[in-house]
Amino acid sequence: MVTLDSRPEVQAAPQSPDDVPGWFWPLDQQLFGWLLERQTAAGMRGDLLEMGSYLGRSAILIGRHRQPGEAFTICDLFDSDAPDGDNAAEMTMSYRETLTRAAFERNYLAFHAELPTIVQAPTSALAGGVLPAGSCRFAHIDASHLYEHVAGDIQTARAALADGGIVVLDDFRSPHTPGVAAATWEAVFAHGLRPICVTPEKLYGSWADPEPLQRELRLLDGDVDGCNLDVDVIAGQPVLRFSGPGVARLMPPSSCTAPTPPAARSTARSTARRLALDLLPPVAARAVRRGLRSVREHAA
Ligand SMILES: C[S@@+](CC[C@H](N)C(=O)[O-])C[C@H]1O[C@@H](n2cnc3c(N)ncnc32)[C@H](O)[C@@H]1O
């Protein structure tokens, strides 16, 4: 990954998704691609959701799998205020120097003709049924690492996910994010989340039976030089574990990256800006709901 100065005024558009700073590594890129493609191939339709997008590294890949009629909603504070002091400290320490919404938009539009629906607000603005129940097939949770926030994000994802939908939790076992670990395992043991597999950074789960997915993953050539696929049993339930410095061969590398789209970028930009929602605290959740509904109507 190339680390670039992300100030919009000095940074050129990235040539490859790997030029976008972030924390989204090849093994997870492969798993995202494999899972999203599998859903599409199986005829599953539903919206896509990301909480915590930073400069767009993971959103760019997720957006590549959006199908006609599907919405892709991303929620991030970007350069607006955090809702509490601990979250503000987290933002200052990790993101403030590099993160702007303009930089996210520039990076995303280097690979896609349209922006996703952008909710620039704390993820709590999506709570309480703001996203239609059961509307999503895939949710990536990668915003605040504080327990209270992540626990809320998991409930938001749970309500928004369709039957068989997949949730991915970032940093569920990183040394500096015990709050994510607490919220993740609470979801497993108290709220019925079923782990499918884990990588060094992420836990992939569902509220549906994980066995069919696990069976397919085990049949793939994921256990290769430098990447091990093991099976752990947690409270009687198998969980696949990818480990090692290498990368599983789940998909050809070209399937994991997003090519630069042809032309159409400048016209798309104005459409995209219309679609993007400007939501800053203390805008009420009702306003978010209204905004998302109108974007959905535009997209239909
Ligand atoms: C780890 S970064 C996301 C990385 C990104 N998914 C990637 O793969 O490159 C976390 C993001 O969450 C955002 N964030 C932190 N707290 C938030 C909150 N309470 N609500 C919404 N976004 C938040 C930050 O602005 C930051 O962009």
Side-chain angles (χ1 to χ4, degrees):
M1 179 188 58
V2 178
T3 303
L4 300 172
D5 184 334
S6 73
R7 283 173 297 156
E9 66 277 19
V10 293
Q11 193 184 353
Q15 299 298 305
S16 139
D18 285 337
D19 293 340
V20 177
W23 299 267
F24 186 46
W25 309 117
L27 174 55
D28 292 300
Q29 292 169 13
Q30 290 203 20
L31 271 170
F32 274 48
W34 187 83
L35 290 164
L36 285 157
E37 270 191 19
R38 181 188 176 279
Q39 288 182 329
T40 302
M44 186 174 189
R45 292 290 175 269
D47 296 339
L48 310 171
L49 171 65
E50 179 166 83
M51 293 183 249
S53 295
Y54 190 54
L55 292 167
R57 192 172 160 94
S58 47
I60 288 165
L61 187 145
I62 296 170
R64 184 181 183 216
H65 295 274
R66 176 184 172 188
Q67 300 300 312
E70 294 180 340
F72 177 25
T73 302
I74 70 109
C75 178
D76 201 294
L77 289 169
F78 294 120
D79 24 17
S80 59
D81 290 337
D84 59 67
D86 288 343
N87 195 192
E90 198 184 8
M91 292 294 296
T92 304
M93 189 167 69
S94 305
Y95 316 117
R96 278 294 178 227
E97 292 203 350
T98 48
L99 180 59
T100 64
R101 176 172 170 165
F104 169 86
E105 292 187 353
R106 184 210 45 240
N107 292 342
Y108 194 90
L109 289 171
F111 303 99
H112 296 286
E114 271 184 19
L115 286 173
T117 302
I118 298 176
V119 178
Q120 184 173 357
T123 53
S124 55
L126 297 179
V130 166
L131 299 164
S135 59
C136 291
R137 61 179 169 108
F138 191 89
H140 181 209
I141 300 181
D142 192 9
S144 169
H145 294 124
L146 301 168
Y147 165 77
E148 287 77 8
H149 289 262
V150 184
D153 294 347
I154 293 172
Q155 291 310 318
T156 297
R158 181 183 189 177
L161 280 179
D163 188 29
I166 292 168
V167 64
V168 186
L169 287 146
D170 186 68
D171 270 338
F172 82 105
R173 58 171 162 163
S174 302
H176 65 294
T177 56
V180 185
T184 301
W185 293 112
E186 177 182 63
V188 171
F189 289 111
H191 303 301
L193 178 65
R194 312 275 307 269
I196 300 163
C197 63
V198 297
T199 64
E201 272 79 29
K202 298 185 194 283
L203 181 142
Y204 296 70
S206 175
W207 277 273
D209 180 4
E211 197 277 331
L213 267 173
Q214 290 179 330
R215 189 168 6 104
E216 281 184 52
L217 277 168
R218 286 165 86 155
L219 289 173
L220 291 167
D221 189 15
D223 199 1
V224 296
D225 273 357
C227 178
N228 310 311
L229 176 54
D230 295 295
V231 181
D232 289 293
V233 177
I234 301 175
Q237 302 297 316
V239 179
L240 307 190
R241 177 167 49 84
F242 291 92
S243 63
V247 170
R249 282 186 217 128
L250 303 177
M251 311 186 69
S254 59
S255 306
C256 303
T257 53
T260 307
R265 224 183 277 156
S266 56
T267 47
R269 223 168 264 253
S270 56
T271 316
R273 293 213 190 289
R274 257 200 340 269
L275 292 178
L277 301 172
D278 265 307
L279 295 163
L280 291 167
V283 173
R286 229 182 11 261
V288 182
R289 190 181 294 115
R290 264 203 309 277
L292 289 174
R293 195 181 310 125
S294 93
V295 171
R296 197 174 303 281
E297 282 161 10
H298 267 96

